[in-house]
Amino acid sequence: MPPEDHKAPAELPRPGHSRRDFLRGSSLAAAGAVMATSAETAMHEARADVSEADGVEIFSGSCPIELKVNGEAMSVTIEPRSTLLDTLRNRLNVTGPKRVCDRASCGACTVILDGDAVYSCTTLAISCTGHEVRTLESFETDEGSVPQSFLQNDALMCGYCTPGFVTACQAWLEKNPGKEPTLDDIKQGLDGNICRCGTYIGVFQAALDAAKAMKKGGA
Amino acid sequence: MAALWPDNPRLIGEGVPRLDGLAKASGRAKYPSDERPDGVLFAVVLHSPHAHAKIVKIDTSKAEAIPGVKGVHLIANEGATLRYHGEEIAAVAAESEEIARDGCRAIAIEYEVLPHAVTEAQAVADGAPQLTPRGNTQAGRAQEDGDPEAAIKEAAASIEGEYSVPVITHVCLETHGQVVRWDGDTKMTVWASTQNVDGVESEMAGAFNVPATDVTVLTPVMGGGFGAKFGADTWGVAAGELAKKTGKPVWLFLDRIQEHLTAGNRPSASAKLTLAADKDGKITALIAETAGTGGISRGAAFPLPYVYEVPNSRRQHTDIRINGGNARAMRAPGHPQGCLIMESALDDLAEKMGIDPLQMRLNSLAEQDTVPSGAGEPLNRSEIYRDQIKLGAEAIGWDQRKPRSENAKASGPLKRGFGMALHQWGGGGRDDKQVTCIINPDGSVELRSATQDIGTGCRTVLAQIAAEVLGLNTTDITSNIGNSQFPPGQASGGSTTTPSMAPPAYNAALEARDLLFKRIASALDAEPGDLEIGKGVILVKGEREVPWKEACRKLGTMPINVTGSFSEGLTAQGVGGCQFVDLTVDTETGVVKLNKIVAVQDTGLILNMMTWKSQVYGGVIMGLNYGLFEELVMDPSTGLCLNPDMELYKLAGASDIPAIDIIPFDNEQMRKRGVIGVGEPPTIATAAAIGNAVANALGTRVPNFPMTPMNVLNALAKA
C-alpha cells in the first residue's frame, strides 16, 4: 500500500467532519481498514450535504461514483457511508447478495471483489471504485456450474444464505483451479458462512461435485 | 372421493430437485426483502434502548425536518410503557435507508427509566418490579397421575436432579418485514416474509379496515421462519401506515439487532425433579417442579413426562415473566425442552442403577401408544420405537459405549461418550385447505394455492404430485403458491403444511385428469373410460398413444380449472424418532466435539426423499445448535441483551458439522399411513442426546444447557 493510504484520520480534509467522526456516526468503524485511496478521494470530493439539527449529527451527503458490477459499468449516487451491499441492493437492484447479519458474521452478502470473496456488508461502496465486483448473478448456471451443483444436491432450503455459499464456493474454486478439495478443505473454505436451515451436508457435496466438474472441464 | 396414494408411484418418494432451486442458487429468486417497487421508500424501526421505561415525551419534529425523510409513524405514544430492550417505538420512512436511520436517531425521547427484571432470578426476587398487575409469575394447575410419593417410597432407586436450558431465538436469516404498496384507497399489495400468507392478509385487512379481497399478500419465497413469522406484526402495520401517509410503497425489514430482540424466542426451561424406577429398570414415578420464561409473554410450558409411560407423576409448572421480547412458536414448541429434561433424568437414573440407558428406555415405553395409520388399523408407536432404536444403536456403534464410571477413569484429557434420546410429534393435515389445478389447451399445467414454502420444498412436492397423476415431469408443472388471492393454504406450522396441501393437490389433479378425459374423449373417438394416463401421453384403449400436448389441444379454448379439497385416508399423524450421538469432550478446555449423529425418523409416506432428508439434516443441525451453542444473554445490571447479533450468538458453521447419518424409517406400513410432515420432529431429540453423551464421556452430568466450555468446566469443577 502506498504511504498516503495510512494518513491519520484527522489529517483528512473534509468539510465539517473528520473521517473519524464520520465512521463513528455511521457505526462502520470496522470498515475503515478496507478504505483505499480512491475511496478517500471520493469521500473528499463528496458534496457533503450535512445537516445538523441541534446536536443531532446527520452524516448524509451525496456522492456520485462509478462501479463495475458483473462486467457492467454503473453510475450511482451513494452516501460516503453506504456499504457495498446496500448500494447493490437498494440502489442498483442487484439483490442476489443478501443482508443477514450486517456485520461480517454470516457470509450471506459475499461478493467477489477483484477475485477475492469479501463481505459486502462491511465494505464501503466508495472503496470499490476502480475495482471489479462480481455477484452470483453473473455465474454460469449450466451443467457442472456451482449453482447447478447446489440444485442437484439440494444444497439449499429457504435459500437466503445460498447466494453467500455459492459465491464463497465459486471464489474458492477460482482460487484453487484444478485442485480436488477434501471435505476439510471445503469446510474451511466455507467457514465464513452460516446457514440456519442446516443445509451444510448438501452444501459440502455440492462444493465437492463442482470442484470435480471444474477439474474435468479443465477450467 | 376415496382416492388413496398410488401403490406403485413413478415420482412420489423419489428425490426430485427443487423447482425453484436454481433461481435461489443463482440469486434470481426475489424474496420479499428484495422487492423494490417503483418509488419505494425505506423504513427503519426505532426501538427501546431500555429494558423497562416510560415514554415521558416524544418529539419527532427534528426527524421530520431531515431532507429525505418522508414519514414518521409512532408505534408507542407518550405515556406508553416499554417493557423490554428492543420494543418498537416508531418507524421512519425515507428516500434511503441511511436517511431513515438518521431520522430514527433524530427522534427526541425523554424516558422515565423503571426498575427491570431481565433474569428469572431477578423476576422472582423479593422486591422485584411488578411487570404485570397479576405479578411476575403464573403457576399452572398441578397435573397429577397416581400416587407419586408412595411410588417413590416403594421404588428400587430414585434420583433428584436439576436441569435447565436458556432462552434462544429463531435467527431467521431473512429478517421479519414487508413491503407494502397501496393501489388506490383500499387495495394493498404486501410482499411479506411470512409462513402464513392467508393470516397476514386477514391481519392487514383488519388493521386497515379494508376487505380481505383487496389485500394481496405475496410470498413467492421466504428466508426462514421456524415459527416466528405467522403475523403481520406491529412493524408490518407501521409499514402500511407509512405507505398510506407517503403515498409511496414502503420497504420495512427489521435489522439483525431488532430481529434478535423482538421477533420471537423459544422459552427457557428448568426442572427440579425426582425420578424413580422399579427393580426391573422401569420408570414408576416422577415429581417435578418446572419453570421457564418466554420473556414478557407467557408460553413457557412444555410436555412432561415426555414419551415414556410414568404411572405416578405430579408436575407443577410456573411461567415467569421478565423484561424480554415475546415468546413465539419455535420448531416443535415445548418438545425440545421436555425431551432434554426427561431424557437427562432418565439417563441419570439408569446410570445410578447400573442399567444400560438404552435398555431403560425400552423398559419404560408404554405397552400401547397408538397412533392413527391413515386408512387402516391404528399402529402401536412403542413397537415402532423399538425397531428404530435397534437401527440407530447399530449405526452409532452403541456396543462401543462404556459406562460413565469407566470413561471418567480413562487417561488423558479427551473423553469419548455416547448418548441417545427419543422424541415424538403430531404432524398431520387440516381439512379446510384447497389447491386449484389448471390444464391449459397448450398442455401447460398450473397449480395454485395460497400456501407458502418456508424452505421445505412445498412448491416442488405439490408439482410432483400433479406430475405423478398426469404422467408428466415435475418440471412440466408450474406450482404457483404464496399468493393470498389463491385458494386457502395452510400456514407453515406444526409440520402440517405438506399433509394439509398434498391431499387437495392430489385430488385436484385427479379431478382435472377425469375432466380432461371427459372433455376430449369424443375428439379422440373414444369414451372417457377408454382413456388412461401414460408417460407424457394419453393412452386410448390401452393402445393408441396421443402426446399430452396434442390431447390437450382438443380442449379448444376452455382450460380445465378444478379445485381439490382434503379427503380422508391420505394423511395420518403421530410420529416418533430416536437420535444417537458420539462425541469427544476435552476436559481441559471444556470443548465438545461431535464425532457423529444418527437420526432415525418415521413420517408416514415420504413424498420427496431429497427434500425430506434435507429437512431431517436441518432439524438435527438446529438441535445441535441448541445442544452446544445457543443462548440469549441478558445483562442483569443494565437489563440489555448482550448478544443481539450473529457473532456472540453462536450458530454452527461448516467446521462444527459432524458426520450425520439419517435413517428414514420408511417401509410399506409407514407408506400406507399417508403424508404426515417432518419439519419439527427431527430437531427435538438432538440436544438431549448430546447432553447424555457429554455426561457419559465425563462421568458427570452437565445440568445446564447448552454444552458450552463454561457449563462443561463448571460441572467438572463441582464433580
Side-chain angles (χ1 to χ4, degrees):
Chain A
M1 247 188 209
E4 58 266 32
D5 285 356
H6 296 287
K7 275 183 193 166
E11 293 169 31
L12 259 180
R14 187 163 185 276
H17 297 271
S18 70
R19 169 180 146 189
R20 189 191 184 120
D21 288 342
F22 150 64
L23 287 171
R24 192 169 56 214
S26 64
S27 317
L28 281 167
V34 300
M35 299 275 285
T37 315
S38 52
E40 291 177 351
T41 310
M43 248 179 71
H44 179 54
E45 290 170 354
R47 288 178 291 107
D49 179 19
V50 177
S51 45
E52 200 160 315
D54 291 344
V56 179
E57 289 182 298
I58 306 301
F59 298 99
S60 54
S62 59
C63 173
I65 60 165
E66 293 277 332
L67 283 181
K68 194 174 172 198
V69 180
N70 295 332
E72 206 179 315
M74 296 181 169
S75 302
V76 59
T77 298
I78 58 160
E79 296 191 32
R81 59 177 161 165
S82 298
T83 64
L84 175 59
L85 178 65
D86 289 355
T87 302
L88 290 171
R89 289 178 57 80
N90 294 350
R91 294 185 171 87
L92 297 172
N93 205 24
V94 179
T95 56
K98 302 293 186 242
R99 184 158 90 192
V100 170
C101 72
D102 217 18
R103 53 193 291 177
S105 316
C106 81
C109 67
T110 305
V111 301
I112 300 179
L113 184 66
D114 293 340
D116 294 326
V118 302
Y119 293 133
S120 63
C121 72
T122 42
T123 303
L124 290 179
I126 46 175
S127 73
C128 298
T129 56
H131 299 272
E132 197 185 352
V133 179
R134 284 163 62 214
T135 73
L136 79 162
E137 284 105 323
S138 69
F139 300 168
E140 297 290 332
T141 56
D142 50 5
E143 202 65 26
S145 66
V146 176
Q148 188 67 231
S149 194
F150 270 65
L151 167 70
Q152 295 302 332
N153 288 288
D154 205 41
L156 67 155
M157 294 185 73
C158 86
Y160 212 69
C161 71
T162 310
F165 273 102
V166 167
T167 307
C169 190
Q170 178 84 23
W172 193 94
L173 294 174
E174 288 177 8
K175 284 260 181 194
N176 300 279
K179 184 173 172 183
E180 205 156 305
T182 63
L183 181 59
D184 276 347
D185 291 337
I186 294 294
K187 284 185 178 182
Q188 278 174 30
L190 297 177
D191 248 346
N193 295 63
I194 285 175
C195 169
R196 183 50 154 167
C197 298
T199 50
Y200 293 102
I201 306 292
V203 168
F204 299 157
Q205 195 55 50
L208 291 169
D209 286 359
K212 204 171 274 179
M214 200 177 197
K215 196 181 174 193
K216 211 167 140 193
Chain B
M1 183 175 282
L4 289 179
W5 295 108
D7 282 335
N8 296 301
R10 182 173 54 91
L11 292 171
I12 287 174
E14 296 297 309
V16 177
R18 285 166 204 260
L19 290 178
D20 47 15
L22 195 59
K24 288 175 174 178
S26 65
R28 285 163 182 81
K30 286 282 180 190
Y31 289 74
S33 56
D34 296 332
E35 291 295 336
R36 303 285 181 274
D38 281 350
V40 72
L41 299 176
F42 293 88
V44 170
V45 173
L46 172 69
H47 67 259
S48 172
H50 302 293
H52 199 191
K54 204 169 187 168
I55 299 178
V56 177
K57 218 173 149 212
I58 188 162
D59 180 359
T60 60
S61 59
K62 283 167 197 156
E64 277 155 5
I66 294 173
V69 167
K70 298 294 176 189
V72 178
H73 173 71
L74 285 185
I75 298 171
N77 288 291
E78 280 177 9
T81 301
L82 303 166
R83 302 160 306 160
Y84 58 91
H85 175 207
E87 189 162 359
E88 310 85 55
I89 296 172
V92 176
E95 284 168 0
S96 75
E97 231 184 313
E98 291 89 338
I99 296 172
R101 276 186 224 131
D102 290 341
C104 283
R105 290 199 333 224
I107 295 175
I109 304 178
E110 194 184 308
Y111 297 99
E112 180 195 344
V113 178
L114 304 170
H116 62 256
V118 296
T119 64
E120 290 161 71
Q122 281 183 330
V124 300
D126 287 340
Q130 293 301 291
L131 309 185
T132 72
R134 295 176 61 190
N136 298 347
T137 61
Q138 203 156 345
R141 191 186 297 170
Q143 304 162 319
E144 187 152 353
D145 264 319
D147 187 346
E149 264 96 6
I152 288 168
K153 264 186 209 148
E154 289 164 21
S158 67
I159 56 131
E160 285 177 15
E162 286 186 46
Y163 310 92
S164 75
V165 62
V167 174
I168 70 163
T169 185
H170 301 70
V171 202
C172 313
L173 290 201
E174 182 176 38
T175 58
H176 285 61
Q178 322 192 1
V179 182
V180 182
R181 183 184 68 200
W182 285 89
D183 307 304
D185 287 341
T186 66
K187 285 185 192 274
M188 182 194 275
T189 304
V190 182
W191 291 267
S193 186
T194 181
Q195 58 197 90
N196 185 9
V197 162
D198 281 332
V200 170
E201 180 194 70
S202 53
E203 208 180 314
M204 289 299 272
F208 292 96
N209 195 24
V210 297
T213 50
D214 283 2
V215 178
T216 303
V217 176
L218 299 172
T219 307
V221 285
M222 53 90 68
F226 314 112
K229 286 183 179 166
F230 283 105
D233 286 313
T234 51
W235 49 85
V237 175
E241 294 284 1
L242 286 167
K244 198 167 197 176
K245 197 176 277 186
T246 60
K248 295 272 184 70
V250 168
W251 179 102
L252 191 164
F253 283 78
L254 301 185
D255 67 19
R256 182 54 50 187
I257 296 173
Q258 292 161 348
E259 180 72 20
H260 259 70
L261 297 174
T262 194
N265 64 59
R266 174 187 284 170
S268 64
S270 62
K272 202 172 176 177
L273 58 75
T274 306
L275 192 70
D278 64 19
K279 61 176 176 19
D280 300 325
K282 181 188 183 319
I283 293 174
T284 53
L286 166 72
I287 297 178
E289 274 177 53
T290 64
T293 183
I296 199 66
S297 63
R298 291 190 65 204
F302 51 89
L304 196 74
Y306 191 67
V307 174
Y308 305 99
E309 186 178 58
V310 184
N312 304 286
S313 72
R314 185 171 64 246
R315 190 246 183 135
Q316 173 73 50
H317 175 78
T318 304
D319 256 30
I320 302 169
R321 289 180 207 260
I322 61 165
N323 291 114
N326 289 291
R328 292 185 174 190
M330 181 169 174
R331 207 165 182 174
H335 282 231
Q337 296 99 310
C339 181
L340 66 82
I341 283 169
M342 186 75 199
E343 290 283 7
S344 299
L346 189 156
D347 236 56
D348 289 350
L349 181 55
E351 172 67 23
K352 185 175 179 183
M353 298 181 78
I355 297 175
D356 184 332
L358 184 149
Q359 190 55 47
M360 185 118 177
R361 286 177 170 87
L362 292 174
N363 296 345
S364 301
L365 286 169
E367 268 179 46
Q368 280 288 323
D369 170 17
T370 53
V371 287
S373 70
E377 287 293 302
L379 298 172
N380 185 0
R381 181 157 53 180
S382 293
E383 284 167 20
I384 298 171
Y385 276 131
R386 289 193 175 96
D387 291 345
Q388 291 179 338
I389 289 170
K390 209 172 157 192
L391 287 170
E394 197 179 318
I396 201 76
W398 190 257
D399 53 359
Q400 300 170 65
R401 178 194 167 275
K402 298 189 183 84
R404 286 185 197 176
S405 53
E406 225 172 286
N407 285 336
K409 277 184 281 180
S411 61
L414 298 179
K415 313 280 187 187
R416 188 172 176 199
F418 289 83
M420 65 173 293
L422 269 57
H423 62 252
Q424 55 186 232
W425 188 251
R430 304 291 177 265
D431 62 5
D432 57 349
K433 308 303 172 197
Q434 295 180 327
V435 175
T436 293
C437 179
I438 299 165
I439 301 176
N440 290 303
D442 68 354
S444 59
V445 179
E446 185 191 350
L447 297 178
R448 289 181 174 181
S449 171
T451 198
Q452 58 290 308
D453 189 341
I454 194 172
T456 57
C458 181
R459 168 178 278 116
T460 308
V461 163
L462 296 185
Q464 216 178 324
I465 291 167
E468 176 84 46
V469 173
L470 302 174
L472 302 171
N473 294 320
T474 310
T475 47
D476 293 332
I477 313 287
T478 303
S479 196
N480 271 329
I481 58 174
N483 181 333
S484 65
Q485 297 291 326
F486 291 160
Q490 177 69 358
S492 296
S495 303
T496 60
T497 316
T498 312
S500 299
M501 303 316 301
Y506 186 49
N507 286 333
L510 288 174
E511 286 171 43
R513 177 199 65 189
D514 292 347
L515 196 55
L516 175 73
F517 287 171
K518 207 168 148 190
R519 294 243 326 258
I520 65 171
S522 63
L524 296 173
D525 298 323
E527 294 294 319
D530 297 335
L531 303 184
E532 271 180 87
I533 291 289
K535 201 178 167 209
V537 297
I538 304 284
L539 291 166
V540 186
K541 293 179 182 162
E543 288 170 7
R544 187 155 63 97
E545 293 187 356
V546 184
W548 171 259
K549 282 187 180 177
E550 190 186 319
C552 291
R553 270 201 294 275
K554 312 284 184 203
L555 286 169
T557 56
M558 270 277 281
I560 283 170
N561 185 326
V562 297
T563 297
S565 300
F566 193 84
S567 58
E568 295 296 330
L570 295 173
T571 65
Q573 57 179 307
V575 297
C578 63
Q579 294 188 16
F580 291 77
V581 170
D582 165 2
L583 53 71
T584 305
V585 190
D586 185 328
T587 52
E588 288 176 352
T589 62
V591 170
V592 175
K593 185 183 171 292
L594 300 175
N595 303 318
K596 187 176 179 178
I597 300 178
V598 172
V600 189
Q601 184 63 52
D602 72 90
T603 47
L605 174 69
I606 295 167
L607 290 167
N608 183 333
M609 189 56 87
M610 197 181 219
T611 54
W612 185 91
K613 278 191 174 167
S614 290
Q615 280 203 75
V616 181
Y617 281 126
V620 167
I621 290 169
M622 191 170 268
L624 175 171
N625 279 312
Y626 195 44
L628 290 184
F629 303 128
E630 288 185 75
E631 177 168 16
L632 212 51
V633 182
M634 304 300 286
D635 179 17
S637 57
T638 61
L640 305 184
C641 176
L642 293 174
N643 58 347
D645 55 51
M646 290 173 73
E647 297 164 82
L648 301 174
Y649 188 95
K650 169 127 171 72
L651 293 171
S655 291
D656 298 311
I657 306 301
I660 302 176
D661 192 355
I662 303 290
I663 304 177
F665 193 75
D666 179 33
N667 56 38
E668 193 59 28
Q669 190 185 46
M670 289 300 122
R671 288 191 284 272
K672 282 210 161 76
R673 302 185 71 189
V675 182
I676 300 183
V678 73
E680 278 146 311
T683 204
I684 299 169
T686 323
I690 288 172
N692 288 340
V694 168
N696 177 245
L698 297 178
T700 190
R701 167 65 55 185
V702 179
N704 305 119
F705 281 81
M707 299 292 115
T708 54
M710 185 179 78
N711 285 340
V712 167
L713 294 176
N714 281 345
L716 282 172
K718 280 183 196 160

